[in-house]
Amino acid sequence: MAGRRARTGRGWDASPPRAGDGTTTPRPRRGRRGRAEETDSEAPPAPPPDEAELAREICLRQLAVRPRTRAELAGALAKRGISEEVSAAVLDRYDEVGIIDDAAFARAWVSSRHAGRGLARRALANELRQRGVDGEVASEALGELDEETEAETARALVERKLRSARGEPDAVFRRLVAMLARKGYPPGVAIRAVKDALAAQSAEAAEFAEQIDADALADAEGELDRDSRSVD
């Protein structure tokens, strides 16, 4: 035989594949995300956010929670890195259109905190100062809370606490005076409110209340209060 024939069928054929015989050469595989990755890499970068627009968004989110003073909004913008120039421009515009109004904020704060928490003018003045309200603006708002209203609120607070108070009259007296002091009531207002409420509670409490010299005790408490503030 002239040479050995290549096997066919179930055998093997070492000759290279011929065109059109249905045999294909494997191609290198592409990544699954090849086309998507090419598209993403060609996308233009997002433009940087406008600083003024970002400042407005920050302010509106703050105001959606509760009313804010100008100082509170300025502090929130500073924490987010907004420049002073942009912050001032945005807040000036909000002032012009009435979105922020420190005077209205102070009036509403005094009214709601006095009615809801029973806070006196001294405590309210401290809260307004912490929120950056100007002293003159705060004084005008606090002027709407007169001494008579403050004294009536103090008596109402004491009467409510007395319903569940336990202990000897002197211990109850000290606790109630301290409670009113924490809410910002002057010593004279606090002592008289507690003395009057005790006098109307029971014979034992009334007897104890009769022994209280409200004026002398208020003067002594007031002096201690002034001394402590001067040290602070």
Side-chain angles (χ1 to χ4, degrees):
M1 293 178 68
R4 184 179 295 176
R5 293 185 178 180
R7 296 184 182 182
T8 58
R10 297 183 180 179
W12 52 274
D13 188 350
S15 60
R18 296 183 297 274
D21 64 355
T23 306
T24 58
T25 303
R27 298 181 179 178
R29 298 178 62 186
R30 297 179 59 186
R32 295 180 180 178
R33 299 180 58 190
R35 185 175 299 276
E37 290 172 354
E38 291 176 2
T39 303
D40 292 344
S41 64
E42 296 172 359
D50 179 73
E51 189 177 11
E53 181 62 28
L54 178 59
R56 287 190 287 270
E57 290 178 2
I58 294 170
C59 288
L60 292 176
R61 285 198 297 269
Q62 292 283 314
L63 293 167
V65 178
R66 66 165 175 81
R68 308 275 179 175
T69 64
R70 182 184 177 110
E72 286 180 309
L73 292 177
L77 294 175
K79 288 181 180 179
R80 294 292 300 274
I82 303 298
S83 66
E84 292 183 5
E85 294 79 8
V86 171
S87 176
V90 170
L91 295 178
D92 285 345
R93 179 56 181 164
Y94 280 5
D95 273 332
E96 291 175 5
V97 298
I99 294 178
I100 53 177
D101 184 341
D102 281 5
F105 174 93
R107 290 192 298 270
W109 188 270
V110 168
S111 177
S112 64
R113 297 287 284 176
H114 179 74
R117 298 289 302 278
L119 298 184
R121 284 175 291 184
R122 178 175 167 181
L124 293 168
N126 185 50
E127 290 188 342
L128 292 175
R129 183 168 55 253
Q130 292 175 349
R131 283 155 183 79
V133 177
D134 178 76
E136 186 175 347
V137 173
S139 296
E140 184 176 349
L142 292 167
E144 298 182 7
L145 179 60
D146 57 40
E147 294 181 1
E148 183 178 354
T149 301
E150 199 172 53
E152 290 175 356
T153 303
R155 286 194 293 270
L157 288 170
V158 171
E159 290 171 359
R160 186 162 64 245
K161 289 290 185 180
L162 267 178
R163 297 185 191 122
S164 58
R166 298 292 182 272
E168 296 297 321
D170 59 336
V172 172
F173 174 82
R174 289 194 299 272
R175 289 202 303 270
L176 293 178
V177 170
M179 179 269 294
L180 291 178
R182 288 192 298 271
K183 290 181 177 293
Y185 288 90
V189 174
I191 291 168
R192 290 185 183 88
V194 178
K195 177 180 179 178
D196 293 345
L198 285 174
Q201 185 190 36
S202 66
E204 181 184 7
E207 183 179 356
F208 170 80
E210 284 295 325
Q211 301 173 12
I212 298 174
D213 187 340
D215 293 333
L217 188 55
D219 290 341
E221 291 289 339
E223 185 174 350
L224 289 173
D225 184 57
R226 286 189 296 271
D227 291 342
S228 64
R229 278 189 287 174
S230 63
V231 172
D232 294 339

mmCIF file of all heavy atoms in Angstrom, residues 164-200:
data_model
loop_
_atom_site.group_PDB
_atom_site.id
_atom_site.type_symbol
_atom_site.label_atom_id
_atom_site.label_comp_id
_atom_site.label_asym_id
_atom_site.label_seq_id
_atom_site.Cartn_x
_atom_site.Cartn_y
_atom_site.Cartn_z
ATOM 1 N N SER A 164 -49.223 63.612 93.892
ATOM 2 C CA SER A 164 -48.487 62.353 94.054
ATOM 3 C C SER A 164 -47.292 62.481 94.998
ATOM 4 O O SER A 164 -46.496 61.537 95.114
ATOM 5 C CB SER A 164 -47.998 61.861 92.682
ATOM 6 O OG SER A 164 -47.177 62.827 92.062
ATOM 7 N N ALA A 165 -47.155 63.625 95.667
ATOM 8 C CA ALA A 165 -45.997 63.845 96.553
ATOM 9 C C ALA A 165 -46.137 63.018 97.823
ATOM 10 O O ALA A 165 -47.224 62.876 98.380
ATOM 11 C CB ALA A 165 -45.881 65.323 96.899
ATOM 12 N N ARG A 166 -45.032 62.482 98.289
ATOM 13 C CA ARG A 166 -45.004 61.696 99.519
ATOM 14 C C ARG A 166 -43.878 62.221 100.411
ATOM 15 O O ARG A 166 -42.865 62.722 99.929
ATOM 16 C CB ARG A 166 -44.751 60.213 99.212
ATOM 17 C CG ARG A 166 -45.828 59.551 98.369
ATOM 18 C CD ARG A 166 -47.133 59.425 99.148
ATOM 19 N NE ARG A 166 -48.152 58.746 98.368
ATOM 20 C CZ ARG A 166 -48.993 59.365 97.539
ATOM 21 N NH1 ARG A 166 -48.921 60.690 97.414
ATOM 22 N NH2 ARG A 166 -49.892 58.690 96.867
ATOM 23 N N GLY A 167 -44.059 62.099 101.729
ATOM 24 C CA GLY A 167 -43.024 62.512 102.645
ATOM 25 C C GLY A 167 -43.491 63.615 103.581
ATOM 26 O O GLY A 167 -44.633 64.090 103.515
ATOM 27 N N GLU A 168 -42.589 64.002 104.488
ATOM 28 C CA GLU A 168 -42.898 65.071 105.433
ATOM 29 C C GLU A 168 -43.019 66.408 104.693
ATOM 30 O O GLU A 168 -42.399 66.605 103.643
ATOM 31 C CB GLU A 168 -41.797 65.163 106.495
ATOM 32 C CG GLU A 168 -41.678 63.929 107.368
ATOM 33 C CD GLU A 168 -42.947 63.694 108.176
ATOM 34 O OE1 GLU A 168 -43.534 64.705 108.648
ATOM 35 O OE2 GLU A 168 -43.346 62.534 108.327
ATOM 36 N N PRO A 169 -43.819 67.350 105.271
ATOM 37 C CA PRO A 169 -44.020 68.634 104.590
ATOM 38 C C PRO A 169 -42.733 69.381 104.255
ATOM 39 O O PRO A 169 -42.628 69.978 103.180
ATOM 40 C CB PRO A 169 -44.887 69.413 105.579
ATOM 41 C CG PRO A 169 -45.630 68.364 106.340
ATOM 42 C CD PRO A 169 -44.680 67.220 106.453
ATOM 43 N N ASP A 170 -41.738 69.317 105.150
ATOM 44 C CA ASP A 170 -40.502 70.050 104.859
ATOM 45 C C ASP A 170 -39.746 69.454 103.676
ATOM 46 O O ASP A 170 -39.176 70.178 102.852
ATOM 47 C CB ASP A 170 -39.609 70.096 106.102
ATOM 48 C CG ASP A 170 -39.226 68.716 106.606
ATOM 49 O OD1 ASP A 170 -39.970 67.750 106.309
ATOM 50 O OD2 ASP A 170 -38.188 68.600 107.284
ATOM 51 N N ALA A 171 -39.747 68.115 103.558
ATOM 52 C CA ALA A 171 -39.075 67.457 102.429
ATOM 53 C C ALA A 171 -39.814 67.752 101.120
ATOM 54 O O ALA A 171 -39.193 68.006 100.082
ATOM 55 C CB ALA A 171 -38.993 65.955 102.669
ATOM 56 N N VAL A 172 -41.148 67.708 101.181
ATOM 57 C CA VAL A 172 -41.952 68.019 99.991
ATOM 58 C C VAL A 172 -41.717 69.465 99.566
ATOM 59 O O VAL A 172 -41.571 69.764 98.371
ATOM 60 C CB VAL A 172 -43.446 67.771 100.276
ATOM 61 C CG1 VAL A 172 -44.307 68.269 99.107
ATOM 62 C CG2 VAL A 172 -43.707 66.295 100.525
ATOM 63 N N PHE A 173 -41.649 70.340 100.556
ATOM 64 C CA PHE A 173 -41.422 71.756 100.275
ATOM 65 C C PHE A 173 -40.104 71.947 99.517
ATOM 66 O O PHE A 173 -40.048 72.644 98.495
ATOM 67 C CB PHE A 173 -41.409 72.539 101.591
ATOM 68 C CG PHE A 173 -41.034 73.982 101.435
ATOM 69 C CD1 PHE A 173 -41.986 74.914 101.034
ATOM 70 C CD2 PHE A 173 -39.742 74.416 101.699
ATOM 71 C CE1 PHE A 173 -41.651 76.252 100.900
ATOM 72 C CE2 PHE A 173 -39.394 75.742 101.565
ATOM 73 C CZ PHE A 173 -40.360 76.672 101.155
ATOM 74 N N ARG A 174 -39.046 71.325 99.982
ATOM 75 C CA ARG A 174 -37.733 71.486 99.342
ATOM 76 C C ARG A 174 -37.738 70.930 97.915
ATOM 77 O O ARG A 174 -37.173 71.542 97.002
ATOM 78 C CB ARG A 174 -36.646 70.809 100.180
ATOM 79 C CG ARG A 174 -36.329 71.520 101.492
ATOM 80 C CD ARG A 174 -35.027 70.989 102.086
ATOM 81 N NE ARG A 174 -35.097 69.566 102.376
ATOM 82 C CZ ARG A 174 -35.528 69.052 103.520
ATOM 83 N NH1 ARG A 174 -35.968 69.853 104.492
ATOM 84 N NH2 ARG A 174 -35.537 67.749 103.710
ATOM 85 N N ARG A 175 -38.369 69.774 97.737
ATOM 86 C CA ARG A 175 -38.389 69.169 96.400
ATOM 87 C C ARG A 175 -39.148 70.046 95.408
ATOM 88 O O ARG A 175 -38.717 70.221 94.262
ATOM 89 C CB ARG A 175 -39.023 67.776 96.454
ATOM 90 C CG ARG A 175 -38.166 66.724 97.140
ATOM 91 C CD ARG A 175 -38.569 65.325 96.694
ATOM 92 N NE ARG A 175 -39.991 65.061 96.951
ATOM 93 C CZ ARG A 175 -40.454 64.527 98.084
ATOM 94 N NH1 ARG A 175 -39.624 64.229 99.084
ATOM 95 N NH2 ARG A 175 -41.743 64.282 98.231
ATOM 96 N N LEU A 176 -40.263 70.605 95.837
ATOM 97 C CA LEU A 176 -41.074 71.403 94.923
ATOM 98 C C LEU A 176 -40.414 72.738 94.588
ATOM 99 O O LEU A 176 -40.472 73.207 93.450
ATOM 100 C CB LEU A 176 -42.468 71.625 95.519
ATOM 101 C CG LEU A 176 -43.332 70.362 95.650
ATOM 102 C CD1 LEU A 176 -44.670 70.692 96.283
ATOM 103 C CD2 LEU A 176 -43.544 69.717 94.277
ATOM 104 N N VAL A 177 -39.767 73.340 95.565
ATOM 105 C CA VAL A 177 -39.045 74.584 95.296
ATOM 106 C C VAL A 177 -37.900 74.320 94.320
ATOM 107 O O VAL A 177 -37.654 75.108 93.389
ATOM 108 C CB VAL A 177 -38.523 75.211 96.602
ATOM 109 C CG1 VAL A 177 -37.561 76.362 96.302
ATOM 110 C CG2 VAL A 177 -39.683 75.721 97.455
ATOM 111 N N ALA A 178 -37.201 73.198 94.505
ATOM 112 C CA ALA A 178 -36.109 72.848 93.604
ATOM 113 C C ALA A 178 -36.623 72.580 92.189
ATOM 114 O O ALA A 178 -35.973 72.941 91.199
ATOM 115 C CB ALA A 178 -35.372 71.620 94.136
ATOM 116 N N MET A 179 -37.794 71.948 92.087
ATOM 117 C CA MET A 179 -38.390 71.686 90.778
ATOM 118 C C MET A 179 -38.666 72.985 90.034
ATOM 119 O O MET A 179 -38.354 73.129 88.840
ATOM 120 C CB MET A 179 -39.669 70.874 90.942
ATOM 121 C CG MET A 179 -40.407 70.561 89.650
ATOM 122 S SD MET A 179 -41.675 71.814 89.198
ATOM 123 C CE MET A 179 -42.869 71.607 90.520
ATOM 124 N N LEU A 180 -39.239 73.963 90.732
ATOM 125 C CA LEU A 180 -39.527 75.249 90.098
ATOM 126 C C LEU A 180 -38.243 75.997 89.745
ATOM 127 O O LEU A 180 -38.171 76.673 88.715
ATOM 128 C CB LEU A 180 -40.405 76.104 91.019
ATOM 129 C CG LEU A 180 -41.844 75.620 91.225
ATOM 130 C CD1 LEU A 180 -42.578 76.544 92.194
ATOM 131 C CD2 LEU A 180 -42.593 75.545 89.903
ATOM 132 N N ALA A 181 -37.230 75.867 90.587
ATOM 133 C CA ALA A 181 -35.950 76.524 90.289
ATOM 134 C C ALA A 181 -35.342 75.968 89.003
ATOM 135 O O ALA A 181 -34.789 76.719 88.189
ATOM 136 C CB ALA A 181 -34.989 76.345 91.453
ATOM 137 N N ARG A 182 -35.452 74.660 88.794
ATOM 138 C CA ARG A 182 -34.912 74.061 87.574
ATOM 139 C C ARG A 182 -35.634 74.566 86.333
ATOM 140 O O ARG A 182 -35.071 74.600 85.239
ATOM 141 C CB ARG A 182 -34.995 72.534 87.641
ATOM 142 C CG ARG A 182 -34.012 71.906 88.618
ATOM 143 C CD ARG A 182 -33.939 70.401 88.408
ATOM 144 N NE ARG A 182 -35.224 69.751 88.644
ATOM 145 C CZ ARG A 182 -35.630 69.297 89.822
ATOM 146 N NH1 ARG A 182 -34.858 69.469 90.902
ATOM 147 N NH2 ARG A 182 -36.797 68.691 89.947
ATOM 148 N N LYS A 183 -36.875 74.947 86.483
ATOM 149 C CA LYS A 183 -37.641 75.475 85.361
ATOM 150 C C LYS A 183 -37.468 76.979 85.193
ATOM 151 O O LYS A 183 -38.129 77.591 84.359
ATOM 152 C CB LYS A 183 -39.128 75.130 85.534
ATOM 153 C CG LYS A 183 -39.421 73.634 85.360
ATOM 154 C CD LYS A 183 -40.897 73.353 85.516
ATOM 155 C CE LYS A 183 -41.202 71.873 85.284
ATOM 156 N NZ LYS A 183 -40.977 71.469 83.874
ATOM 157 N N GLY A 184 -36.588 77.570 86.013
ATOM 158 C CA GLY A 184 -36.263 78.978 85.820
ATOM 159 C C GLY A 184 -37.049 79.966 86.646
ATOM 160 O O GLY A 184 -36.941 81.177 86.422
ATOM 161 N N TYR A 185 -37.813 79.517 87.639
ATOM 162 C CA TYR A 185 -38.603 80.446 88.450
ATOM 163 C C TYR A 185 -37.733 81.098 89.516
ATOM 164 O O TYR A 185 -36.920 80.426 90.152
ATOM 165 C CB TYR A 185 -39.786 79.717 89.102
ATOM 166 C CG TYR A 185 -40.851 79.346 88.100
ATOM 167 C CD1 TYR A 185 -40.806 78.123 87.440
ATOM 168 C CD2 TYR A 185 -41.878 80.237 87.788
ATOM 169 C CE1 TYR A 185 -41.767 77.787 86.503
ATOM 170 C CE2 TYR A 185 -42.852 79.896 86.847
ATOM 171 C CZ TYR A 185 -42.786 78.675 86.200
ATOM 172 O OH TYR A 185 -43.730 78.350 85.254
ATOM 173 N N PRO A 186 -37.896 82.387 89.736
ATOM 174 C CA PRO A 186 -37.134 83.077 90.786
ATOM 175 C C PRO A 186 -37.491 82.510 92.154
ATOM 176 O O PRO A 186 -38.591 81.971 92.355
ATOM 177 C CB PRO A 186 -37.586 84.537 90.652
ATOM 178 C CG PRO A 186 -38.204 84.651 89.297
ATOM 179 C CD PRO A 186 -38.776 83.302 88.991
ATOM 180 N N PRO A 187 -36.590 82.620 93.130
ATOM 181 C CA PRO A 187 -36.852 82.061 94.474
ATOM 182 C C PRO A 187 -38.154 82.560 95.083
ATOM 183 O O PRO A 187 -38.909 81.775 95.680
ATOM 184 C CB PRO A 187 -35.638 82.516 95.282
ATOM 185 C CG PRO A 187 -34.557 82.675 94.274
ATOM 186 C CD PRO A 187 -35.220 83.177 93.030
ATOM 187 N N GLY A 188 -38.439 83.865 94.988
ATOM 188 C CA GLY A 188 -39.658 84.393 95.589
ATOM 189 C C GLY A 188 -40.909 83.762 95.014
ATOM 190 O O GLY A 188 -41.843 83.378 95.743
ATOM 191 N N VAL A 189 -40.968 83.634 93.685
ATOM 192 C CA VAL A 189 -42.136 83.028 93.023
ATOM 193 C C VAL A 189 -42.269 81.567 93.421
ATOM 194 O O VAL A 189 -43.371 81.078 93.736
ATOM 195 C CB VAL A 189 -42.017 83.170 91.496
ATOM 196 C CG1 VAL A 189 -43.152 82.423 90.797
ATOM 197 C CG2 VAL A 189 -42.025 84.633 91.092
ATOM 198 N N ALA A 190 -41.154 80.840 93.437
ATOM 199 C CA ALA A 190 -41.193 79.419 93.746
ATOM 200 C C ALA A 190 -41.631 79.169 95.189
ATOM 201 O O ALA A 190 -42.499 78.321 95.455
ATOM 202 C CB ALA A 190 -39.811 78.809 93.492
ATOM 203 N N ILE A 191 -41.055 79.903 96.129
ATOM 204 C CA ILE A 191 -41.361 79.681 97.551
ATOM 205 C C ILE A 191 -42.815 80.021 97.852
ATOM 206 O O ILE A 191 -43.507 79.268 98.556
ATOM 207 C CB ILE A 191 -40.402 80.508 98.424
ATOM 208 C CG1 ILE A 191 -38.978 79.927 98.303
ATOM 209 C CG2 ILE A 191 -40.857 80.521 99.884
ATOM 210 C CD1 ILE A 191 -37.900 80.807 98.879
ATOM 211 N N ARG A 192 -43.297 81.118 97.314
ATOM 212 C CA ARG A 192 -44.690 81.499 97.588
ATOM 213 C C ARG A 192 -45.662 80.513 96.956
ATOM 214 O O ARG A 192 -46.703 80.191 97.539
ATOM 215 C CB ARG A 192 -44.946 82.914 97.067
ATOM 216 C CG ARG A 192 -44.216 83.982 97.873
ATOM 217 C CD ARG A 192 -44.578 85.387 97.411
ATOM 218 N NE ARG A 192 -43.825 86.393 98.142
ATOM 219 C CZ ARG A 192 -42.628 86.842 97.777
ATOM 220 N NH1 ARG A 192 -42.058 86.378 96.659
ATOM 221 N NH2 ARG A 192 -41.994 87.746 98.499
ATOM 222 N N ALA A 193 -45.351 80.019 95.774
ATOM 223 C CA ALA A 193 -46.241 79.063 95.113
ATOM 224 C C ALA A 193 -46.338 77.777 95.928
ATOM 225 O O ALA A 193 -47.441 77.225 96.122
ATOM 226 C CB ALA A 193 -45.731 78.766 93.708
ATOM 227 N N VAL A 194 -45.214 77.295 96.419
ATOM 228 C CA VAL A 194 -45.223 76.050 97.206
ATOM 229 C C VAL A 194 -45.889 76.274 98.563
ATOM 230 O O VAL A 194 -46.668 75.429 99.034
ATOM 231 C CB VAL A 194 -43.787 75.520 97.383
ATOM 232 C CG1 VAL A 194 -43.798 74.253 98.244
ATOM 233 C CG2 VAL A 194 -43.140 75.231 96.033
ATOM 234 N N LYS A 195 -45.608 77.394 99.205
ATOM 235 C CA LYS A 195 -46.225 77.681 100.502
ATOM 236 C C LYS A 195 -47.746 77.734 100.382
ATOM 237 O O LYS A 195 -48.467 77.133 101.195
ATOM 238 C CB LYS A 195 -45.701 78.998 101.047
ATOM 239 C CG LYS A 195 -46.365 79.406 102.363
ATOM 240 C CD LYS A 195 -45.832 80.729 102.880
ATOM 241 C CE LYS A 195 -46.541 81.126 104.189
ATOM 242 N NZ LYS A 195 -46.015 82.378 104.761
ATOM 243 N N ASP A 196 -48.264 78.425 99.380
ATOM 244 C CA ASP A 196 -49.724 78.528 99.194
ATOM 245 C C ASP A 196 -50.345 77.170 98.917
ATOM 246 O O ASP A 196 -51.436 76.852 99.422
ATOM 247 C CB ASP A 196 -50.037 79.487 98.044
ATOM 248 C CG ASP A 196 -49.657 80.925 98.381
ATOM 249 O OD1 ASP A 196 -49.428 81.224 99.571
ATOM 250 O OD2 ASP A 196 -49.581 81.755 97.445
ATOM 251 N N ALA A 197 -49.669 76.356 98.102
ATOM 252 C CA ALA A 197 -50.223 75.038 97.782
ATOM 253 C C ALA A 197 -50.225 74.125 99.005
ATOM 254 O O ALA A 197 -51.188 73.381 99.227
ATOM 255 C CB ALA A 197 -49.409 74.414 96.647
ATOM 256 N N LEU A 198 -49.186 74.177 99.823
ATOM 257 C CA LEU A 198 -49.138 73.357 101.036
ATOM 258 C C LEU A 198 -50.212 73.788 102.037
ATOM 259 O O LEU A 198 -50.836 72.945 102.698
ATOM 260 C CB LEU A 198 -47.755 73.455 101.684
ATOM 261 C CG LEU A 198 -46.614 72.697 101.004
ATOM 262 C CD1 LEU A 198 -45.286 73.015 101.682
ATOM 263 C CD2 LEU A 198 -46.871 71.192 101.036
ATOM 264 N N ALA A 199 -50.437 75.080 102.125
ATOM 265 C CA ALA A 199 -51.429 75.591 103.073
ATOM 266 C C ALA A 199 -52.823 75.075 102.744
ATOM 267 O O ALA A 199 -53.670 74.929 103.635
ATOM 268 C CB ALA A 199 -51.412 77.108 103.068
ATOM 269 N N ALA A 200 -53.062 74.804 101.464
ATOM 270 C CA ALA A 200 -54.393 74.338 101.055
ATOM 271 C C ALA A 200 -54.484 72.816 100.991
ATOM 272 O O ALA A 200 -55.549 72.272 100.702
ATOM 273 C CB ALA A 200 -54.736 74.917 99.684
#
